[in-house]
Amino acid sequence: MKTAKTDVLSCRLMVIGAGMAGMAAALFAARHGVSTVQAGLTGETQYASGLFDLYGVKHGSTRALIDDPWQGLKQLKQDHPKHPFCRVSTRQIRSAMDRLTDFLGDAGHPYMGYPNKNARLITPVGTLKRTFRVPKTMWAGVQALEEKAPCLIVDIQGLRGFSASQIVSTLKPSWPGLTAASIDISWESRLGPKYAEHIARSLEVEAARRDLADTIRPHLGHAEYVGLPAILGIHDTDTIRRDLKQMLGRPIFEIPTMPPAISGVRLKEIFDIHLPRLGVSTFFHHTVLSVQRQADGRFALEVGRTEPETTVVADNVLLATGRFLGKGLVAERKGIPSILPESRWTTGSGR
Ligand SMILES: Cc1cc2nc3c(=O)[nH]c(=O)nc-3n(C[C@H](O)[C@H](O)[C@H](O)COP(=O)(O)OP(=O)(O)OC[C@H]3O[C@@H](n4cnc5c(N)ncnc54)[C@H](O)[C@@H]3O)c2cc1C
């Protein structure tokens, strides 16, 4: 794909953006044998909960909750035919979701879900969330909630943003079998606040899993399930989940933590490692600084950190720069996204 000048790349597809949309697009293109270059900062992926929402809240003002996303999408297409979801068929959406989760499963991070139903699970603030695909490390939590089974929620002293007693006190009126425990993981020797990523990486060693199981065991009581913050490793999460399940004799599940969360770090690391292996030329710490349409119809894109470092000449460009967090949309001082035509800018006086 490289031309004579080493700082010029030629490809069929340039993907601008390295969030979930850009990553999925680069994956699908590479799997179809399309020569692909991708640029973007993967840092935003660390804000992902790891849950893949499809359609769980009705579009429009009612915000009604949706159990069957396919039925919901059918209705959406009737009510709002210009909605972006109407540009793709149900079959395409289903196949894309399967291909994405199969890829993640092959990379050691399997996903679970119902064929035609959104799953419900606990959030770190004790509310319930509907989503379509759930990391396997979180799946037993979906089952525990469905059964309203006796369940122990565990938090870790020093790990901020996750309180078992807060989750339990919020949910207990509708789920009386919930209990909370707060454990001291003195075996995780770093001083000061605990970070989910440090704990997750330490659990990749079996001895740390034994220490964690030994610390949780005295709190089990009648619990049939154990819920933990999302800390079950970065790589090979399923082995850690299975080991802890065996050590404690109960299904274990993770509850997503507040962003930035390791559930996002896992996705980031999988894409960082596997997309280049599939042949995608990645510029993950770079952005596209400018784009020009050439006389031959191709696009010339300058890629770099602050100064152009590489020119990519692409037949096609896929823009996946997200919204405000990823800086795909930028708010001007007047608070109006810059993508709006100037005729629609306003001073906020309701003009
Ligand atoms: C608080 C919060 C919680 C959420 N929870 C969930 C959830 O649980 N489940 C779910 O499915 N969705 C959730 N979402 C929505 C989800 O985050 C977004 O749908 C998803 O991240 C969008 O991905 P994206 O790739 O479109 O954009 P982003 O993830 O924002 O990625 C944009 C990418 O574009 C890149 N970029 C921008 N400008 C350039 C440029 N000039 N050149 C190159 N690259 C550029 C950025 O560096 C970045 O890589 C949540 C969103 C928020 C805000």
Side-chain angles (χ1 to χ4, degrees):
M1 207 158 54
K2 274 191 178 181
T3 63
K5 275 178 86 180
T6 53
D7 59 346
V8 178
L9 287 178
S10 176
C11 63
R12 275 182 66 199
L13 178 67
M14 173 80 205
V15 176
I16 310 179
M20 282 312 300
M23 293 299 196
L27 169 68
F28 299 155
R31 286 265 164 93
H32 277 97
V34 174
S35 61
T36 304
V37 177
Q38 183 180 17
L41 311 176
T42 53
E44 284 83 8
T45 310
Q46 299 185 33
Y47 289 85
S49 66
L51 305 170
F52 292 154
D53 300 350
L54 175 52
Y55 190 47
V57 180
K58 194 166 180 223
H59 179 72
S61 55
T62 67
R63 312 292 293 160
L65 299 175
I66 290 173
D67 282 324
D68 179 342
W70 305 115
Q71 193 55 42
L73 286 173
K74 207 169 150 188
Q75 191 64 46
L76 177 77
K77 289 180 181 187
Q78 281 169 18
D79 298 344
H80 304 276
K82 291 199 171 152
H83 191 281
F85 272 149
C86 304
R87 290 169 170 258
V88 278
S89 69
T90 302
R91 190 184 51 77
Q92 286 170 315
I93 297 174
R94 201 187 273 273
S95 144
M97 191 66 95
D98 287 348
R99 280 183 289 151
L100 178 61
T101 50
D102 286 352
F103 161 77
L104 293 169
D106 291 345
H109 188 44
Y111 271 73
M112 304 287 286
Y114 301 111
N116 298 318
K117 193 171 90 162
N118 280 321
R120 290 188 319 147
L121 74 171
I122 308 172
T123 72
V125 289
T127 53
L128 301 182
K129 173 178 167 65
R130 278 168 169 70
T131 191
F132 190 60
R133 288 292 175 259
V134 179
K136 194 168 178 184
T137 51
M138 299 181 187
W139 185 248
V142 174
Q143 295 170 314
L145 172 64
E146 272 207 354
E147 296 165 18
K148 296 277 170 75
C151 180
L152 172 70
I153 308 289
V154 176
D155 71 31
I156 291 168
Q157 291 162 22
L159 179 67
R160 292 183 181 145
F162 188 96
S163 158
S165 61
Q166 187 195 338
I167 293 173
V168 169
S169 66
T170 310
L171 288 173
K172 204 157 173 94
S174 62
W175 188 350
L178 278 183
T179 49
S182 190
I183 58 168
D184 175 10
I185 53 164
S186 39
W187 47 269
E188 214 285 326
S189 55
R190 286 179 187 86
L191 297 174
K194 302 280 183 219
Y195 292 99
E197 187 169 344
H198 292 161
I199 303 170
R201 290 194 194 273
S202 68
L203 285 176
E204 295 188 346
V205 176
E206 199 198 336
R209 305 204 271 275
R210 294 213 169 276
D211 287 338
L212 179 62
D214 290 346
T215 314
I216 293 174
R217 199 168 291 110
H219 301 278
L220 283 176
H222 298 293
E224 291 172 14
Y225 290 83
V226 177
L228 294 160
I231 50 164
L232 303 186
I234 305 289
H235 307 281
D236 205 9
T237 52
D238 208 32
T239 304
I240 299 173
R241 180 195 62 78
R242 256 188 285 121
D243 263 15
L244 283 169
K245 177 182 175 187
Q246 202 177 15
M247 290 170 189
L248 289 171
R250 285 132 173 101
I252 306 294
F253 65 90
E254 291 184 319
I255 298 169
T257 50
M258 303 295 270
I262 63 148
S263 29
V265 175
R266 290 169 184 156
L267 297 175
K268 174 190 164 327
E269 295 210 359
I270 289 173
F271 285 115
D272 277 0
I273 294 168
H274 290 272
L275 285 183
R277 287 185 188 166
L278 289 170
V280 178
S281 301
T282 54
F283 291 85
F284 279 155
H285 302 291
H286 297 65
T287 54
V288 171
L289 303 170
S290 71
V291 185
Q292 295 232 317
R293 196 80 190 255
Q294 299 185 154
D296 63 1
R298 301 183 84 205
F299 298 88
L301 305 103
E302 287 185 320
V303 178
R305 290 183 169 89
T306 50
E307 296 294 321
E309 294 170 28
T310 306
T311 301
V312 179
V313 179
D315 297 342
N316 303 282
V317 171
L318 192 144
L319 187 68
T321 49
R323 298 201 285 176
F324 294 102
L325 186 62
K327 299 193 172 49
L329 295 183
V330 182
E332 297 290 312
R333 281 207 177 144
K334 288 172 186 165
I336 305 300
S338 61
I339 55 154
L340 288 182
E342 202 166 342
S343 59
R344 292 184 58 196
W345 289 12
T346 156
T347 57
S349 60
R351 166 160 74 92

